[in-house]
Amino acid sequence: MDRFFGTSSREEESEWLSVSDLMAGLMVIFLFIAIVFIRPLAEQNLEIKEIARTWQENELEIYKALLDEFEEDLPRWNAEIEKDTLLIRFKSPDVLFERGASTIRSEFAAILKDFFPRYVSVLQGFRKSIEEVRIEGHTSSVWNRSTTEDAAYFLNMKLSQSRTRAVLQNVLNLTEVREARAWLQTLLTANGLSSSRIVLNEKGSEDRERSRRVEFRIRTTARTEIVRILEAAK
């Protein structure tokens, strides 16, 4: 009967087993490919998570060290520390600079003389974790009544850059940090930001007084390490 109706059941079974074997073989190949490509990604993700965890713990330690050092001084300086950004903000524009100029007032010079050597002492305890210390200068969005908004932005940019350079020069020339100067020069940058980050009041409009400020911001090495991992995986 097999001669009249085609292949036998044994031949059909044999062909079915061959297809099953082929499918099983393909599944093994796909599984191998998945392991080859997914395992490095999983390892990379674990490494990034570990860096993120270490980074959070380390930044918390830096914040605690800054707070321990300066908590009692902050009200006297009209300053504050931001936990999430490791930023110390000096908020009294009338104390910081001569109006419309980059000349540091004597009151702010005295604050910097007290603050900065102690700040450096805290930083030295976290040398391996710190990539940059940014001195950031901020202004309000106005210049004078006759100046357009665009012109005011660029005038304030020039002013804020001059002011941060003045702060940088002032702190680096302090005799109390002379031994650490070479190291500090690899970390410190002066960044004038004009009115790009104004402070808003409760009504959502600009608070011009609070917008005029100087900030010291710590950037850790976590971001650089994550970028290195991602670059290595390409």
Side-chain angles (χ1 to χ4, degrees), residues 22-35:
L22 177 61
M23 293 299 294
L26 289 173
M27 288 180 64
V28 171
I29 293 172
F30 287 136
L31 180 60
F32 176 76
I33 293 173
I35 292 172

Side-chain angles (χ1 to χ4, degrees), residues 46 73 76 89-90 93 112 170 200 209 219:
L46 286 174
D73 302 292
R76 177 166 54 90
R89 177 181 295 118
F90 295 93
L112 290 173
N170 177 284
L200 303 179
E209 287 300 303
R219 291 185 60 188

Side-chain angles (χ1 to χ4, degrees), residues 134-153:
R134 297 170 58 88
I135 303 173
E136 297 182 347
H138 303 266
T139 69
S140 68
S141 63
V142 298
W143 187 261
N144 57 41
R145 293 182 180 178
S146 61
T147 306
T148 65
E149 184 177 336
D150 287 344
Y153 173 79

Side-chain angles (χ1 to χ4, degrees), residues 152-170:
Y153 173 79
F154 289 108
L155 288 169
N156 279 316
M157 178 64 76
K158 182 178 180 180
L159 177 62
S160 62
Q161 289 174 339
S162 296
R163 286 176 168 179
T164 54
R165 285 198 299 269
V167 173
L168 176 63
Q169 184 175 1
N170 177 284

Side-chain angles (χ1 to χ4, degrees), residues 20 42 58 66 79 84 87 96-98 102 120 123 129 132 140 155 157 169 177 180-181 209:
S20 299
N58 195 52
L66 291 172
D84 294 336
L87 177 152
L96 302 177
F97 301 97
E98 298 293 338
S102 59
V120 172
L123 297 181
S129 304
E132 180 184 14
S140 68
L155 288 169
M157 178 64 76
Q169 184 175 1
V177 300
R181 179 166 179 166
E209 287 300 303

Side-chain angles (χ1 to χ4, degrees), residues 55-82:
W55 163 70
Q56 289 178 329
E57 292 176 353
N58 195 52
E59 291 210 344
L60 182 59
E61 289 300 314
I62 295 174
Y63 168 74
K64 288 179 178 178
L66 291 172
L67 195 63
D68 288 344
E69 182 64 40
F70 298 117
E71 186 172 18
E72 294 182 0
D73 302 292
L74 297 177
R76 177 166 54 90
W77 295 339
N78 191 18
E80 62 185 359
I81 302 176
E82 283 191 358

